[in-house]
Amino acid sequence: MVAPPDNAPPDNDVLWARSVHYSHGESPRAKSGGGSPGLVGVSIAVRQGEILAVTGPRGSGKTTLLDCLSGRLVPTEGEIWFNSIPVHTMGAPDRRRLRRDRFGWIGPEPALVPELTAWENAALPLLVAGASHRTAKHAARAWLDRLDIGGLARRRPRALTRAEAQRVALARALVNEPAVIFADEPTAPLHRAERSLLLRTLTTAARSHGITVVLATHEEGTAAVADRCFDLLDGRPAGAAATVAAGPDDTPEEQAACSLSA
């Protein structure tokens, strides 16, 4: 086994990012040029088994941060580590394998394949990874049962309600028991009761299987299920964004008022 580099993050941090910048419309790893800022100097650490809520208003950079942490996007500047793996230096094929084998993802839209049944959609990560049809089917149906939709395993997406389809998407995120689940506003399209059920199922499954969850949300009720919150504002940690908004020449009283308003 290769020893981790000297600058690798602490062992108890499953995800670790330092001084991450990302500009929309700018080529990866570019040092200057155009593009609207999506993240500006974000540093974050997520512990093993922790449920972390990334909070902030719409357009604050929550989705962009999840995309960078999961390797969907490569930051313009900065470092992102998963355990001892430098995600920010990995090529696209390695990042795809990392997302397939170690990460799960659930977004605001279920994004199910319409031609496949519920269990086939849930089994996709295992099938893509090369698991046998029998193994993938057994695991997918087990998760559908745990999510109380086992009876819908043979239905196609058009025959599911929005809440049922979102639970199939959650089963797909959980089926390979990933190290980390990235949940980007997963309850946004759901009514209150359905939202509570999905969150309870996600958090229970994560805690029972030691899965780390990074949950992006702008809703206080959703964030309340997390162990800790990380607030973003205008692509910066909320405290830093408030200081920038206040301006370097403002008085301490004016800066404090700006911080409170943020």
Side-chain angles (χ1 to χ4, degrees), residues 65-160:
L65 179 58
L66 265 63
D67 282 341
C68 286
L69 291 174
S70 65
R72 288 186 166 200
L73 293 176
V74 178
T76 308
E77 297 180 41
E79 303 174 36
I80 294 173
W81 295 76
F82 165 66
N83 290 329
S84 298
I85 302 170
V87 180
H88 57 288
T89 64
M90 296 173 71
D94 288 334
R95 285 186 283 112
R96 282 195 295 270
R97 281 191 290 271
L98 181 66
R99 293 195 301 273
R100 181 193 70 194
D101 298 339
R102 306 302 306 277
F103 296 160
W105 183 280
I106 179 171
E109 298 294 333
L112 303 181
V113 180
E115 296 82 9
L116 301 182
T117 64
W119 81 257
E120 289 169 334
N121 270 283
L124 270 177
L126 292 176
L127 292 171
V128 171
S132 70
H133 183 275
R134 181 176 181 178
T135 297
K137 183 176 182 179
H138 177 78
R141 297 201 66 151
W143 275 110
L144 293 176
D145 285 340
R146 291 172 196 168
L147 297 175
D148 296 326
I149 52 172
L152 308 178
R154 294 188 177 277
R155 292 191 186 180
R156 286 181 167 78
R158 64 178 177 272
L160 302 173

Side-chain angles (χ1 to χ4, degrees), residues 55-58 60 218 220 229-247 253-262:
T55 59
R58 296 184 188 277
S60 59
H218 65 278
E220 289 185 9
C229 290
F230 180 82
D231 300 321
L232 281 176
L233 185 63
D234 297 330
R236 296 177 170 88
T243 301
V244 170
E253 290 79 8
E254 290 169 328
Q255 291 185 358
C258 231
S259 296
L260 288 172
S261 67

